Amino acid sequence: MKRIAASLVVACLLLGASAFGQQITFSNRKATLKNISKVLEKQAGISLITTRATNAVIRPTAVHVKNVSVEQFLDAFFKDQPFRYEIIGDMVTIVPRENHSRIAPSQVTIRGKILNEQGEPIPAATILVNGSNKYTTTDDNGEFTLTGVDTNFNIVISSVNYEPRELNWQGESELDIRLKHRISELNIVNVVSNGYQKQTQAKATGSYARIDNELLNRRVSTNILERLEGVTSGLVFNKNVNPNTNQSTISIRGRSTIFANPNPLIVLDNFPYTGDINNINPNDVESITILKDAESASIWGAFSGNGVIVITTKKGKYDQPLKLSFNSNVTVGKKPDQYYLPMLDSKGFIEVEQFLFNQGFYDGQDASPFRPVISPVVEILLKIRNGELSEAEAESQLNLLRQQDKRDDVDKYLYRNSVNQQYSINASGGGNNNHYYFSAGYGKNLSNLKRNDYNRVTLTANNTVLWFKKAFELNTGIIFTETNQHNNNIGNISLTYPYLKLADAQGNALVIPSDVRQSYKDTAGGGQLLDWDLRPLDELKLSDNRFKQTEYRINIDAKLKIAKGLDAAVIYQYNRGFGEQNDFKSQQTYYTRNLINQYTEETPDGKLIYHVPLGGILDQLTTDYEAQNVRSQLNFNKSWFNKGKSKFHALTALAGVEVKRFEQEYETMRLYGYNKELQTSTDVDYETLYPLYHAPALTEKIPYANLRRTNTDRFVSYYLSAKYIFQRKYILSASARKDESNLFGVETNQKGVPLWSVGAAWEISEEKFYHVHWLPFLKLRVTNGYNGNVDKSVSAYTTAFKEGLKNVWGAPVGYIINPPNPSLRWEKNHMINFGVDFATKNTILEGSFEYYLRKGTDLIGNSPLDPTTGVTQFRGNTADLKGHGYDLVLRSKNINKQLKWLSVLLASYTTNEVTNYKVKQAAIWYYGDPNYISPVEGKPLYSIFSFKFMGLNPSTGTPIAYLDGDTSTIYSAIYGSNKLENLVYNGPANPTYFGSLRNTLSWKQLELSFNITWKSGYYFRRPSIEYFNLFFGGSMGHPDYEKRWQKPGDEKFTTVPAMVYPADQASQTVYAYSDVLVEKGDHIRLQDIQLSYDFVKNRNERKQPFIAFRLYVYANNLGIIWKANDKGIDPDYINSIPNSRTIAFGVRFDF
Amino acid sequence: MRMHFYFLFVTWCCLAGCNKSKFLDEKPRSDLFVPTTLEDFQLLLDNETIMNETPVLGEISADNFYTTFNFWQTLAVKEQFGYIWAPDIYRGEGNIGDWNVPYQQVFTANVILEGLPKIKVSSANEKHWKNTKGSALFFRAYAFHNLVQLFSPVFDESTAINDLGVPLRLRPNIEDVVSRSSVRETYQRIIADLSEATQLLEDVFHQNNRNRPSKAAAYALLARVYLSMGLYDKAGLYADSCLKRYDTLIDYNTLNSTTGRPFDRNFGEALLQSRLLSTTGLIKASTFVYCIVDSSLYNSYNDNDLRKLLFYQINNDGLPILKFGYNGSALGFSGLATDEMYLIRAECYARQGKKDQALADLNSLMQMRWKKDMFTPFTAATADEALNLILTERRKELPFRGLRWTDLRRLNKEGANITLTRILNGTTYTLPPNSRLYTLPIPPDVIQLGGIEQNIRE
């Protein structure tokens, strides 16, 4: 017994699995080995290893125990058996009750290697000779030697995280054994990559979110990043992004910067991805890892402040037979709902035009020698006034217009259902010393806009070879992508009046007013000029705008084993991409005809001079980028025991240097008088001011659009990362990085602060004192460190910009864009992350909870500067920001029978607060204007601030607002005030709570899943009527017009101000930014539903050529289930039409 | 392929720890540069979109034109309220080009003036170096002068030491805190800079680069500065120095009066091309139609005076509106020209009692303005009479050039007693002579961020 206990202790320490605190209760009069095995499995998570031989000899025995230890329980069963038991790790083996350490000289020695499915060695696996107490463990190379073993015995191999395996030794001199990962949803088996190394999430201290292949493929999309939406903890897709305010479309754990780059770093395999994200074929992606905290991301230093998205592509595997896979799907999307965005209807719009006409508003335009556009309705009204049209005739014309709605024609003539197709085929496999992956993909998207389409071809080849006794590994990869795009349909932007029509009843294209007054166009030039009419439907046919992109990427990785546990790697990547946009506007297009006509000059003798030559116009935009990365890295990986084998240590470390060069050329070119066939063009005089044909008092130069620029990014980075594991349950990690670049100027780099992090984790459930049965897995983590952020727009020097265009005197010019800033520093982002990972028994419920604190210091900010300095805006390290939040992930097996019901709940909270921002905007209206970033100390960076709406003036219907403690209607004083107290803070403008609930139901081969997402804790400003903009053509109006104040008393039931002439921009601003137009953004959405059928080939069925196939249907953008606002606004789409519903059908074959 | 080898080589060098700074010295953008050479400075000086624009608020507040209520409503706030001389013309809106653009010029000049001592002067570049420094000093003085005309009270010897001038920023360092100097200090700085500039600038007139200052232009500006100060002896002296170097006048009879654009940017009388702020909503071609010339001004021209035809045209309503000015561009000319110098010299002669010399100058200018054979030379019995004639012709010769506001301030101070009135949407506004409203308020963002003292207007 003593001996058993001793070996037990050794075994426990060895495997770090001493969790036998479980109490077993069992009662059976005739307990068989099978019963015992089940109980052990269920109540203690221990497997019992049996062989047929032992099964036959073990007798059923009566066992009655209550709350006893595993040992006591086993003792009770084995006390009268011819066998006894021995516990090794989390396994129990049965040993004959005779001398168990006999070693006869005739016995043999077995050598072997234990590998995982990827062909990687498994260190510290246990090899046990079944039925004896003889065992050994593998070394770091997964190799083992068992000496003095009886022939014809089974050996059992086990290791944490792997399925135990038993096999019969049949005389092989060297065994090569593969172990399979335990099939579990527990995230502890996940392998996460940070772009520098791969590690199991179980031994990580940092915060990772991993999207595996299955989850990635649940969604159907052309763009890989879209597939992260709603399934990634802590990651949110921002909607209604305003490009003027430096918002990003994706944010991980909220916001870390103000004016610097707000986008997460995207890493493809080893290096930051510099190309167009659409060039990545999702079918080539194996998994995606999101690095969320300082520890996981700090290895990326100055690039990691916004989190990192690591995309890992598919590779072949060693010792795998050729596998072919084919995937194809078709996605059909509805037309976007043209009627979603509120628009003042034709009836209302005409009413407004009549009102303005009667006020004499259009008289100036009518008389203007510049011949501005006058709307069809106003032309009719003018004709009545001039007596050219009878009242009755005019009224019938107006009635016709009142019934027209431009959206009918837009929907009918400009849009269609979208159809996206994807085809992808890949082949992978590998032998002992090599593996490969080849793929080809083709996708074709017909967009919702007619005549706009996109297609993509991708080719991938990856090859890995092992040489010199597996000491040297060489990996080569080539990826090629070509995309072709047509952008011929610009949508409805030229339709500026709601009653315009695109086509007559016969479908013939109709003329709409544009640029120059139509009545003038009709007669101008007496027929000498080119046709001056704009017919959008014809334009759609004539448009010829193509965009072609080619990109390729070549990787060479070489890894050399230098010594045991130490290898050196050199990784090189060459990446190049070209893009060329050719927008050919033939002489038939309106753009060209209009430009030629405007720049036509009539000589006194009636001859025409075309300053813009006849012929087409070609606009060309080319981009060409080249990125090169080289990394030299040393990897150290060693684990060892102390002498008494009682202490286990493991150390992994890496250190390296990385150099990056990125160069991008950007060129735009315009050719006038372009002949597409001959590819010839005509020179024009860009310097002379020409009088415009329709307005000779105006003189303009011919538009010049030639530009060339090169951007260069260069980085030299040093990094270091290490992790130490003690007893498999205590983990310490640290990393550091220093970046130097050409962006700041060398002086600043020399002062550069290295960014670093430290982390620790403790697998508390591995401790002896841990006795919580229902929670067999519990791990605590904490990390602390700094990330950084890059801003390309700043420099330590006085920087000037050289203009492409010369001044009117023919001399080149430059201007200063950046005043000198010798104290410029890198932005720093401090993050502390606390995490708990847990799993209940049999992983019925598992998940993690993480809480983080973040603080951005030395943030680069644009701050208004006293204009007396000569600079109105200054960029420097001027701001601080802090935030905190949590991410919760819960996975549950609600039903786990033949019918399975799994749920995954993601819930995140994130908030931020500007803690230091010294500069205030000059007037408070800036805080309401969504086109400015106006940080306010103590409030989130993006906040909704409003004027306090105090009702409508009962006698005039104009808005009343709050000013300096009282109501006020002096609008210029209200919005011009600089006291923040005159504003109401409504709340954050971005969701603070968000998450998703994904339920998966499966029955046999059928699987149904649907994802519900929500966002809450934020506000948005809804649009309403803006009279000033409506009058001056800046807005199409809003149906709130119908609810406007019209007579005293209306103020009791409406908040929409009266229409007043002349319109007051100040009053409009006060109403538009008032709190009466602020709504809560909270909403719940049914994002998508997926249905699939999997067929796996029966082993006996030989006729089928495929191993497996899968049929799937995926419906996306299904719509809102609940929203807090009652205005019919989807808070994700305030000023845009929601993404249309799509449905995809697909099939995948594996051969 | 050689590129790649080179890159690998550089990488290797970096790994070896050498030549890294060279690798990182590469400019992030090809069109960016750190201005350090004379050529770089020339690029900055030649950026006429910054260096050759002047404030417009004075012209908007002056009495050369009026506009309609409808159009008035579409104007920017500062122009709306500047037009009716409201005490607060900004209503909280900042980013006022009338202040910011001159200070942008000061900043650019200061960057150059700070960079110049770092350039080694040799016989090969000495001329260029001096001319660059002279140009920078000229532009800085021009900017300060344009500012002081709007934002400080008119120069008065007795109070100038206490009257608030403008902040004199003399270094490009944005962290410097500079408060308002006195009016005296401001003018002293302007005069000192210009005097130095006259020593440094080349004595060549840039016929084809009239955006660049010359020695003649620096004297011209000195004349204009002294005139605005009411120091007529010196004004006359410097106008004379200017005219000694460049005195071209163009006979208007040689110009085409039927076109809307009778002048071009190489017009021979222009000593330095600059224009009223391009960001304005008034006094530019696209809004000429709304900018109706003051009827008493328009009617003051004799029908045989070609200026009536060359400066103005008649709109559809029969009202006089502007034509393109001395730059032939859509924006109002506000630069220096020889006609102004003749008028300054004439005025100063008259004020010195030199009647004949005054009339000679006036007549040599006016004979270029009248229709051929219709011109009879002006005569006057006394110097005062001559002065009146000259001031009347000055009013008629230089409208819409940003000079009238300065003249109103100067002449009212001397007792001209000119009251301005505007009628807008039925309301009449008046600006009494010597009103505090003649000193414009400093923009609110400047007050808030710079913490300088505001002008008292009420």
Side-chain angles (χ1 to χ4, degrees), chain A residues 895-943:
Chain A
I895 300 174
N896 197 11
K897 303 258 167 63
Q898 197 169 29
L899 174 72
K900 289 188 168 61
W901 175 22
L902 310 174
S903 300
V904 180
L905 174 79
L906 306 179
S908 290
Y909 168 73
T910 182
T911 180
N912 69 70
E913 179 188 326
V914 177
T915 49
N916 176 22
Y917 200 83
K918 289 282 172 273
V919 184
K920 282 185 191 145
Q921 296 281 25
I924 55 176
W925 66 264
Y926 282 101
Y927 295 98
D929 194 320
N931 289 310
Y932 293 89
I933 307 185
S934 308
V936 176
E937 285 185 11
K939 293 288 185 294
L941 179 60
Y942 296 108
S943 294

Side-chain angles (χ1 to χ4, degrees), chain A residues 359-361 364-365 367-370 572 574 626 628-630 632 657-661 663 687-689 691 697-699 707-716 718 740-743 745-746 749-750 792 795 797-803 807-823 864-872 874 919-923 925-926 972-973 975-978 1028 1032 1061-1065, chain B residues 3-4 6-8 10-11 14-15 17 20-35 40 42-50 52 69-70 73-75 77 81 91-96 99-100 103-108 111 114 167 169 171-176 178 207-212 261 265-266 273 275 285-290 313 316-317 324 327-330 425 444-452:
Chain A
Q359 303 282 348
F361 179 83
Q365 289 174 41
S368 167
F370 304 124
Y572 172 74
Y574 179 80
E626 185 188 78
Q628 295 189 76
N629 295 275
V630 181
S632 309
V657 185
E658 193 171 312
V659 179
K660 175 188 168 187
R661 192 181 79 165
E663 214 158 87
E687 301 298 332
T688 309
L689 287 156
L698 293 179
T699 55
L707 174 102
R708 188 188 165 87
R709 201 172 68 206
T710 307
N711 294 343
T712 308
D713 287 0
R714 290 181 174 187
F715 286 93
V716 177
Y718 310 89
E740 299 175 2
S741 83
N742 68 329
L743 301 175
V746 175
N749 277 320
Q750 283 163 351
K792 290 187 186 178
S795 167
Y797 306 124
T798 308
T799 319
F801 173 79
K802 191 179 170 191
E803 283 248 50
N807 71 11
V808 292
W809 311 96
V813 297
Y815 60 90
I816 297 168
I817 54 168
N818 207 26
N821 182 12
S823 58
L865 203 64
D866 174 9
T868 314
T869 56
V871 184
T872 49
F874 171 69
V919 184
K920 282 185 191 145
Q921 296 281 25
W925 66 264
Y926 282 101
S972 57
Y975 81 70
S977 159
N978 55 18
F1028 187 90
F1032 288 96
Y1061 185 85
D1064 178 14
Q1065 194 166 13
Chain B
M3 274 281 279
H4 305 164
Y6 175 71
F7 177 67
L8 285 170
V10 169
T11 307
C14 291
L15 298 179
K20 187 179 72 190
S21 63
K22 203 171 176 190
F23 179 72
L24 295 178
D25 262 351
E26 181 69 28
K27 292 190 291 189
R29 269 171 66 167
S30 57
D31 43 11
L32 292 186
F33 64 97
V34 177
D40 292 343
Q42 194 59 52
L43 289 175
L44 301 179
L45 290 168
D46 272 336
N47 191 340
E48 47 123 37
T49 57
I50 292 170
N52 301 62
F69 179 59
N70 261 346
Q73 289 178 78
T74 66
L75 290 173
V77 171
F81 294 100
R91 310 294 157 111
E93 277 190 17
N95 200 9
I96 303 300
W99 181 276
N100 297 4
Y103 274 109
Q104 226 178 329
Q105 295 160 1
V106 170
F107 173 66
T108 309
V111 165
E114 198 175 69
R169 297 193 76 94
R171 298 200 312 162
N173 196 338
I174 56 166
E175 280 152 24
D176 286 354
V178 180
Q207 298 277 3
N208 297 318
N209 290 85
R210 288 176 194 254
N211 62 317
R212 295 181 184 169
R261 207 159 66 90
R265 64 170 167 272
N266 287 316
Q273 278 288 358
R275 55 179 171 255
S286 55
T287 59
F288 278 173
V289 66
Y290 306 109
Q313 54 188 331
N316 292 349
D317 300 330
F324 289 58
N327 48 15
S329 98
N425 201 24
D445 49 345
V446 175
I447 295 293
Q448 201 186 348
L449 299 167
I452 60 172

Side-chain angles (χ1 to χ4, degrees), chain B residues 140-394:
Chain B
R140 190 165 76 180
Y142 195 34
F144 285 146
H145 176 71
N146 288 326
L147 285 161
V148 82
Q149 301 314 307
L150 292 188
F151 300 104
S152 295
V154 62
F155 182 83
D156 183 330
E157 191 65 60
S158 56
T159 58
I161 196 154
N162 293 322
D163 287 341
L164 286 173
V166 295
L168 296 174
R169 297 193 76 94
L170 306 177
R171 298 200 312 162
N173 196 338
I174 56 166
E175 280 152 24
D176 286 354
V177 178
V178 180
S179 54
R180 291 180 71 173
S181 62
S182 70
V183 166
R184 168 178 289 277
E185 284 168 331
T186 306
Y187 278 104
Q188 275 174 347
R189 170 50 60 184
I190 295 167
I191 290 162
D193 281 355
L194 282 176
S195 306
E196 197 183 350
T198 57
Q199 303 306 308
L200 293 164
L201 283 165
E202 279 179 75
D203 202 356
V204 190
F205 188 74
H206 311 288
Q207 298 277 3
N208 297 318
N209 290 85
R210 288 176 194 254
N211 62 317
R212 295 181 184 169
S214 58
K215 193 167 270 200
Y219 283 123
L221 183 53
L222 268 171
R224 187 191 269 188
V225 170
Y226 277 115
L227 189 80
S228 72
M229 296 169 79
L231 302 176
Y232 298 110
D233 290 355
K234 286 196 167 156
L237 221 57
Y238 284 115
D240 184 59
S241 302
C242 165
L243 291 171
K244 283 221 168 73
R245 280 166 181 83
Y246 190 83
D247 64 352
T248 307
L249 284 177
I250 304 293
D251 186 350
Y252 278 13
N253 287 291
T254 61
L255 302 171
N256 178 3
S257 61
T258 58
T259 146
R261 207 159 66 90
F263 309 99
D264 65 24
R265 64 170 167 272
N266 287 316
F267 184 63
E269 290 184 14
L271 286 159
L272 180 93
Q273 278 288 358
S274 73
R275 55 179 171 255
L276 297 171
L277 275 184
S278 53
T279 47
T280 180
L282 272 165
I283 320 168
K284 58 178 179 184
S286 55
T287 59
F288 278 173
V289 66
Y290 306 109
C291 186
I292 318 292
V293 178
D294 180 75
S295 49
S296 60
L297 170 63
Y298 182 72
N299 293 330
S300 69
Y301 295 93
N302 187 296
D303 281 345
N304 291 320
D305 190 337
L306 284 165
R307 291 179 293 188
K308 197 170 185 172
L309 299 170
L310 288 164
F311 290 179
Y312 311 110
Q313 54 188 331
I314 302 298
N315 76 2
N316 292 349
D317 300 330
L319 294 169
I321 58 172
L322 279 175
K323 282 186 177 182
F324 289 58
Y326 270 16
N327 48 15
S329 98
L331 298 158
F333 172 79
S334 69
L336 296 155
T338 48
D339 55 352
E340 184 189 350
M341 291 305 116
Y342 275 91
L343 285 164
I344 291 177
R345 194 168 68 182
E347 182 182 339
C348 297
Y349 281 143
R351 286 180 187 271
Q352 290 163 342
K354 298 173 182 165
K355 184 191 75 152
D356 295 341
Q357 280 146 299
L359 285 174
D361 269 343
L362 180 66
N363 283 323
S364 36
L365 174 64
M366 293 322 292
Q367 66 176 351
M368 300 296 207
R369 297 298 179 253
W370 281 60
K371 279 184 189 161
K372 251 196 176 91
D373 310 325
M374 302 303 249
F375 179 68
T376 36
F378 287 89
T379 54
T382 63
D384 272 352
E385 213 173 293
L387 178 63
N388 282 336
L389 279 174
I390 291 160
L391 288 175
T392 310
E393 290 309 319
R394 182 178 169 88

